[in-house]
Amino acid sequence: MAKIKNIVVLTGAGISAESGINTFRDNGGLWEQHNIEDVATPQAFAVNPGLVHRFYNERRRALETAYPNPAHAALAELEAALGERGGLLTIVTQNVDNLHERGGAKNVMHMHGRLHSVKCCLCGRRRDFGGATHEGMKCGDCGGTGSIRPDIVWFGEIPHHMDEIEAAILSCDLFVSIGTSGAVYPAAGYVQLARSFGKQTLELNLESSGGSHLFHNSRLGKAGKIVPAWVNEIIKTLP
Ligand code: OAD
């Protein structure tokens, strides 16, 4: 294996599945139980904010009894190992949970927002917030009432950190996608971006995804097994 110092990992719901967090598109996944249009669009929040608050309160509650699994821990270990040697791991996650951070990772970009953050629709300010949100909440910054929304990137909105993510992919040696179906852009297009920059690409997923053929290599299995195994291999190649 060629020497690798700088890695970008893109994660999706599959990395948190073994922690007990629902994925979206697997059997019984969240988008089978709920209509995207009812809970994950700005229009849904305008029409039925109570339902949207309840949906994300449930997601936040589910996290209270969920813990990072060996895949989260392995990525934190890789981050530390690369950092000690002047390298870098950038974790770009589509997940709104906090399991990467609780697993010990520090360099994490949440491109679809975070469950533990709220945003004011009036003044645009964000605040860390871990409790249940509701329609009557007042913004601590502008004083607006009813304007607080979950800080989640909904369908039709622009993901966070786009420029930083592209810059990280441009400067990496290897791009790795873990536990994502590749159904949602722009995340789904990052493998092609990485390849257009001449980067090596690897997919780690439970099963072949729609975009598997886009990667140089693909390994199938549960993230809790195949991510620690891959991390061990990379760490062995480090000087
Ligand atoms: P999906 O539910 O679309 O895909 C989850 C992927 O994880 C699938 O390819 C599964 O095969 C795989 N998987 C399931 N269990 C796994 C395990 N134990 N180990 C490894 N892989 C496993 O979730 P995402 O791709 O993350 O966006 O979905 C992308 C975005 O769509 C989400 O961020 C969310 C959703 O709509 C927003 O809400 C904005």
Side-chain angles (χ1 to χ4, degrees):
M1 196 185 294
K3 290 265 179 287
I4 286 168
K5 275 185 73 177
N6 194 336
I7 301 176
V8 173
V9 164
L10 170 71
T11 64
I15 196 165
S16 296
E18 288 155 78
S19 296
I21 301 295
N22 261 318
T23 61
F24 294 93
R25 296 176 182 78
D26 293 310
N27 282 341
L30 286 173
W31 295 155
E32 224 175 73
Q33 300 168 41
H34 304 267
N35 285 324
I36 290 176
E37 298 76 21
D38 293 340
V39 294
T41 63
Q43 293 77 7
F45 189 64
V47 171
N48 195 344
L51 178 65
V52 175
H53 280 298
R54 278 198 299 282
F55 176 75
Y56 288 101
N57 286 341
E58 275 172 36
R59 310 278 73 75
R60 218 174 284 109
R61 231 181 353 257
L63 262 178
E64 288 171 11
T65 51
Y67 298 91
N69 66 55
H72 297 105
L75 290 183
E77 192 187 340
L78 181 59
E79 180 184 87
L82 287 170
E84 279 163 17
R85 293 159 177 90
L88 182 68
L89 175 70
T90 304
I91 300 174
V92 175
T93 187
Q94 298 168 87
N95 299 344
V96 294
D97 67 47
N98 56 8
L99 295 174
H100 282 302
E101 289 88 344
R102 285 166 56 199
K106 294 190 173 58
N107 190 22
V108 185
M109 289 189 232
H110 284 268
M111 63 181 297
H112 289 168
R114 294 190 298 124
L115 279 171
H116 289 85
S117 174
V118 292
K119 187 173 120 180
C120 175
C121 299
L122 292 177
C123 71
R125 291 287 292 272
R126 299 190 152 81
R127 277 176 179 249
D128 283 351
F129 186 80
T133 60
H134 57 87
E135 289 166 83
M137 280 176 84
K138 201 168 175 170
C139 175
D141 291 299
C142 72
T145 303
S147 57
I148 295 294
R149 56 166 275 184
D151 190 7
I152 304 292
V153 176
W154 287 326
F155 285 87
E157 297 183 319
I158 298 170
H160 302 314
H161 307 296
M162 304 266 284
D163 291 346
E164 288 158 273
I165 295 168
E166 289 195 22
I169 294 173
L170 179 60
S171 58
C172 77
D173 305 309
L174 173 66
F175 172 83
V176 186
S177 167
I178 303 175
T180 174
S181 61
V184 174
Y185 282 82
Y190 287 150
V191 58
Q192 281 145 309
L193 184 71
R195 290 198 70 153
S196 73
F197 293 148
K199 311 300 179 183
Q200 279 300 305
T201 58
L202 168 67
E203 178 183 51
L204 304 174
N205 207 47
L206 184 62
E207 57 200 8
S208 273
S209 68
S212 291
H213 63 282
L214 299 169
F215 291 82
H216 290 102
N217 294 298
S218 193
R219 298 185 189 181
L220 303 185
K222 288 190 170 187
K225 269 208 154 161
I226 62 175
V227 175
W230 167 72
V231 164
N232 280 337
E233 285 173 33
I234 293 285
I235 287 180
K236 275 191 196 139
T237 69
L238 299 177

